[in-house]
Structures are given as C-alpha cells and as structure tokens.
Amino acid sequence: MPSWNIHTAQAERLLNTDGASALGIRDVDAFLLGNLLPDIYVGYMVPNVSRKIPYRETHFADPTFVPEPRYGEFFECYGQPSEDGTVSDLVLGAWAHLVADHVYNQQSNRFFREHNIPSGNPTRIKKQGDFDLFGRTRDIHRAPHITKEVLRQCAAFEQYPLEERDMYATQTVMENIISSNIEHRVFGTPAYRMLDDAFFSTTFDMVTERIRHGLLAYAAGEKDWGAE
C-alpha cells in the first residue's frame, strides 16, 4: 500500500497544480485528512486508536496478498451529494485514498506478473520497502489541521464513527512523517530492491490523473464522477 507520505504527495500535487476550488474542494484540511482516513482505524499508522475496523470494511477489499480497493463501491455508498449538491471534502479525500491504493496495487500486481515474481511474504517485504523509499523522495509539507470545520465533517461521516482524539492523533502522526521526510529526504533515484523508478513515476502520474479526472468531474457537477 502507498505510505502516508505518498498519499500526501499525491494530494499536494493536485492542490499545487489545479488549486482547491477547481477540484471542488472547499476545505483543504478536511481533504488532506480524508486522504489518510481509510488507514486510521486499521490500526497500524495511528497508535492507540479508540477502535479497530477490519481492512475489508475500511478499504472495500479483502485483505489478500496485494488487494485492489473498490473505490467505485465507496463512491456509490458515500459519494452521493447532499441536499446542497456537494460532497464533503473528507469524503472526497477518502475516495482519493482508495483510488491511490487501487492503482498502486493494481500496477504492483501487473509488475509481479510481467516479471514472474511469486506472491508471498518476501515479495511483500520488498514491495513495502520500495514504497517506503519512494515516499522519502517526495517533497511534502502539508499535514491536516483539525479545525472546527474538519470536526464537523468528521461528525457527519457515515461509514463509521470518527473520534476527535483519533483525528488529533492522526495530525500528530502526519506532522512527524513530514518532519522525517524533510530530515531523511532521498534525492535522485533510490536503490530499489524489486520495483524501479519507471514503475513509480508512471504510477504516480496515473494516480494523479485518475483522482484529478474524478474531482474535476465532481466540480463540474457530473453525477458519476467517482465511479470506476
């Protein structure tokens, strides 16, 4: 799965390139938090969360070797507009997270097939190590700030309850990740163990364009903006 520095880098590229308003985003902090949201209650990223929720529920995918979350199913369940015709920025961000997970894992599975790489724990470890390396090449700066508006959107989130203390803890984790990325930034092409620079540059662009296409469609008022 993409690490949080990768998810944040994807969000920052969109915000820096198109701007929030063009993408239909009204509250950037809520959108940034949404880009992390599906991972919070899985239990690995944020310590001592108030509850744990199974991966299949947070990501709309069975926890197979390299699962491909069904972001279209999330859209059908939670991406429909409210009475004012809008979707919360938190939901937009969560959808973007699932798109990223889907595309990165789909491309990983394709890479494994093309290079006859077997499934199993050694491959998973190498994959995650390469993802971590790539994440450290990203220049990221923006952690979500938990404001009153962000908490309002959290209270309205329908998929599962979001506890305030977990949201503040998420902000702290992301701030620490950004500090670590700045301190331990990797420049140039990393020495990947299995994947390669072409894989990451191509996939990063694919994810950006898929999210961008969906958000621009949402901003234009299209009904099926988040479908697969």
Side-chain angles (χ1 to χ4, degrees), residues 1 55 61-69 101-102 104-106 109:
M1 290 299 207
Y55 176 89
D62 292 329
T64 55
F65 172 56
V66 182
E68 299 175 14
D101 281 4
H102 174 93
Y104 275 102
N105 283 2
Q106 183 182 66
N109 286 324

Side-chain angles (χ1 to χ4, degrees), residues 15-221:
L15 293 168
N16 293 337
T17 302
D18 291 277
S21 60
L23 300 168
I25 297 167
R26 295 166 294 169
D27 189 285
V28 170
D29 286 310
F31 178 70
L32 290 171
L33 179 64
N35 271 270
L36 312 175
L37 186 58
D39 288 342
I40 293 173
Y41 288 107
V42 175
Y44 297 110
M45 292 303 302
V46 182
N48 302 315
V49 286
S50 58
R51 75 181 65 81
K52 291 186 179 180
I53 302 175
Y55 176 89
R56 61 175 50 87
E57 295 181 24
T58 60
H59 285 72
F60 290 83
D62 292 329
T64 55
F65 172 56
V66 182
E68 299 175 14
R70 300 184 296 276
Y71 62 86
E73 190 172 333
F74 173 85
F75 162 74
E76 291 294 337
C77 292
Y78 304 106
Q80 305 309 309
S82 59
E83 292 182 358
D84 66 1
T86 64
V87 176
S88 81
D89 306 295
L90 190 72
V91 168
L92 295 178
W95 172 84
H97 176 109
L98 296 180
V99 171
D101 281 4
H102 174 93
V103 176
Y104 275 102
N105 283 2
Q106 183 182 66
Q107 292 302 107
S108 294
N109 286 324
R110 181 173 298 170
F111 186 95
F112 299 154
R113 290 193 299 270
E114 291 175 349
H115 293 81
N116 297 313
I117 298 172
S119 60
N121 203 45
T123 297
R124 183 191 62 77
I125 292 171
K126 290 178 183 178
K127 168 186 172 289
Q128 205 55 48
D130 286 349
F131 272 60
D132 291 341
L133 264 179
F134 174 67
R136 286 164 54 197
T137 69
R138 301 296 90 189
D139 184 23
I140 56 173
H141 302 279
R142 304 176 76 165
H145 294 101
I146 309 304
T147 64
K148 289 182 179 180
E149 171 57 22
V150 171
L151 292 176
R152 185 193 68 79
Q153 293 194 29
C154 288
F157 188 68
E158 296 180 347
Q159 188 178 3
Y160 41 80
L162 305 178
E163 297 292 335
E164 286 189 20
R165 70 176 182 87
D166 298 330
M167 302 305 105
Y168 284 111
T170 298
Q171 176 182 330
T172 299
V173 168
M174 193 62 231
E175 288 172 344
N176 290 337
I177 289 172
I178 289 171
S179 295
S180 178
N181 250 48
I182 293 171
E183 183 178 358
H184 302 290
R185 179 86 183 276
V186 174
F187 294 92
T189 302
Y192 295 119
R193 295 180 63 191
M194 181 175 59
L195 302 169
D196 54 36
D197 191 55
F199 169 88
F200 284 110
S201 60
T202 299
T203 306
F204 191 86
D205 288 343
M206 288 177 65
V207 171
T208 301
E209 285 308 306
R210 177 64 193 92
I211 297 172
R212 181 175 183 269
H213 176 81
L215 293 180
L216 289 175
Y218 161 70

